[in-house]
Amino acid sequence: MTDRASDNQISAPPLSLDETGRLMRRATLASVFAAALLIAIKFYAYLSTGSVALLSTLLDSGLDMAASLINLLAVHHALTPADAEHRFGHGKAEPLAGLVQVAFILGSSVLLLIEVINHFAEPQPVENTGIGIVVMVVSIAVTAVLMVYQRHVIRRTGSLAVRADATHYFSDFLVNAAVIAALVLSAWFGLWWIDPLFGLAVALFIAFTAIGIGREAFDMLMDREMEGAERDQIKEIVRQHPEVRGLHELRTRVAGQFRFIQFHLELDADMTLREAHRISDAVERELLQHFPGAEIIIHQDPYGVAERRRVFR
């Protein structure tokens, strides 16, 4: 997996909105179908082996299915323009869906912990490890093919939703490889405790992931400010304009893939309204170069005129 910077360095012909939407929908549908296939073969392997480690990856694939469906829904709403009933768009559907996903993730983690405790209390040997290993190799192959396609879509669209899904499947790729190691150590070397121990590690990892998703969803729903580095970048871009005297009352928020930016722009007091409008448009265009698709609201203020201000960090 390469980092985000490398994605940005790869140039590709610009896509229309319809083409971008079509690629993003295909990527999310591919994730759903891949997760469904992995659930089917892992369920068969778990019934054949009784491995807790394999059960953990089965539950994880179930979570992948939920995450992929949520991404499919999020992409659908992200491509839906604002309407008369939703003037600020539909971006908050994504964190709402994220909270639902958190509930499922935590529930699966608890069920897996119960199964782990039972296996520690009553040790059970892992059976038919050959089937389990073959299924995990197939799972790795399916996941690898999906990631290659997702990387292609990311390069063409820059979709954050698809990038997050690709990152999730990359972690699954590593987990599947680790499960093979657990099956081998448990069956071939008689280390029965390796299997439930690995299941415990995965259960804790799933719960930790759920907490992170829930925190991010909560921040979006509560209109948390954009990151400090992004706010500093906004201020720097605005102040770089030679005719801007300053800015204040900068307020930002994020809803799904959408960013909202608003602030008061300080300009010379004797400037005409036409000139003030021209400068505001120029500042807005520059901001959109760095924050594509952002909703930007600029209020022009005469420089040096005292006004009541809310002071935030």
Side-chain angles (χ1 to χ4, degrees):
M1 297 284 288
T2 55
D3 58 17
R4 183 179 300 182
S6 64
D7 287 339
N8 294 335
Q9 291 172 356
I10 299 174
S11 59
L15 299 176
S16 67
L17 182 59
D18 289 341
E19 291 172 326
T20 298
R22 184 161 52 250
L23 277 176
M24 291 171 64
R25 290 189 183 96
R26 285 177 180 174
T28 51
L29 283 172
S31 296
V32 172
F33 288 131
L37 175 60
L38 292 176
I39 288 172
I41 62 177
K42 287 181 180 180
F43 182 69
Y44 169 74
Y46 170 66
L47 293 179
S48 301
T49 64
S51 168
V52 179
L54 217 156
L55 174 62
S56 70
T57 67
L58 172 60
L59 291 176
D60 193 49
S61 292
L63 299 178
D64 290 343
M65 170 70 86
S68 296
L69 289 172
I70 289 171
N71 268 337
L72 184 63
L73 179 63
V75 166
H76 172 75
H77 282 279
L79 297 173
T80 302
D83 52 38
E85 288 77 28
H86 305 89
R87 299 299 178 98
F88 290 95
H90 306 81
K92 286 194 176 182
E94 187 174 348
L96 283 172
L99 289 180
V100 175
Q101 182 183 0
V102 166
F104 281 108
I105 293 174
L106 290 177
S108 298
S109 180
V110 170
L111 291 176
L112 181 55
L113 283 174
I114 293 173
E115 190 69 19
V116 167
I117 293 172
N118 290 335
H119 274 67
F120 272 118
E122 299 179 4
Q124 301 175 10
V126 177
E127 302 174 349
N128 299 323
T129 56
I131 295 177
I133 292 174
V134 169
V135 166
M136 295 314 299
V137 170
V138 173
S139 298
I140 289 176
V142 171
T143 304
V145 172
L146 175 62
M147 288 191 302
V148 169
Y149 181 66
Q150 287 175 325
R151 300 302 290 179
H152 166 70
V153 174
I154 292 169
R155 291 188 185 100
R156 299 302 308 277
T157 67
S159 169
L160 295 177
V162 177
R163 181 181 287 116
D165 211 27
T167 301
H168 190 182
Y169 276 99
F170 179 64
S171 67
D172 292 346
F173 182 88
L174 299 178
V175 169
N176 290 338
V179 169
I180 293 178
L183 288 171
V184 171
L185 291 174
S186 178
W188 294 3
F189 296 93
L191 303 177
W192 66 267
W193 48 269
I194 288 289
D195 183 58
L197 182 64
F198 184 79
L200 174 63
V202 173
L204 295 176
F205 175 76
I206 291 174
F208 179 79
T209 302
I211 293 173
I213 295 173
R215 185 176 299 147
E216 182 178 356
F218 183 77
D219 285 344
M220 284 190 182
L221 291 173
M222 294 302 294
D223 291 335
R224 182 184 176 92
E225 287 283 340
M226 292 166 58
E227 296 295 331
E230 292 181 312
R231 287 174 53 83
D232 291 340
Q233 185 181 14
I234 292 171
K235 295 175 184 178
E236 182 180 357
I237 292 171
V238 173
R239 289 169 176 156
Q240 281 179 349
H241 193 285
E243 296 176 279
V244 171
R245 303 296 295 273
L247 78 155
H248 59 273
E249 293 279 2
L250 172 62
R251 284 187 265 181
T252 62
R253 67 183 178 93
V254 179
Q257 299 186 35
F258 298 97
R259 286 179 169 86
F260 296 86
I261 303 169
Q262 64 182 73
F263 56 89
H264 290 217
L265 189 66
E266 299 175 13
L267 303 169
D268 287 336
D270 57 353
M271 183 177 291
T272 65
L273 178 60
R274 184 183 298 274
E275 285 298 303
H277 181 72
R278 176 185 62 81
I279 296 170
S280 296
D281 283 350
V283 170
E284 181 177 356
R285 285 193 299 270
E286 188 64 29
L287 286 171
L288 287 173
Q289 290 293 322
H290 295 81
F291 302 95
E295 183 77 21
I296 302 173
I297 300 177
I298 302 176
H299 174 79
Q300 298 97 7
D301 272 346
Y303 178 72
V305 176
E307 66 173 30
R308 183 180 179 184
R309 303 179 183 177
R310 285 184 287 264
V311 180
F312 301 104
R313 180 177 62 85

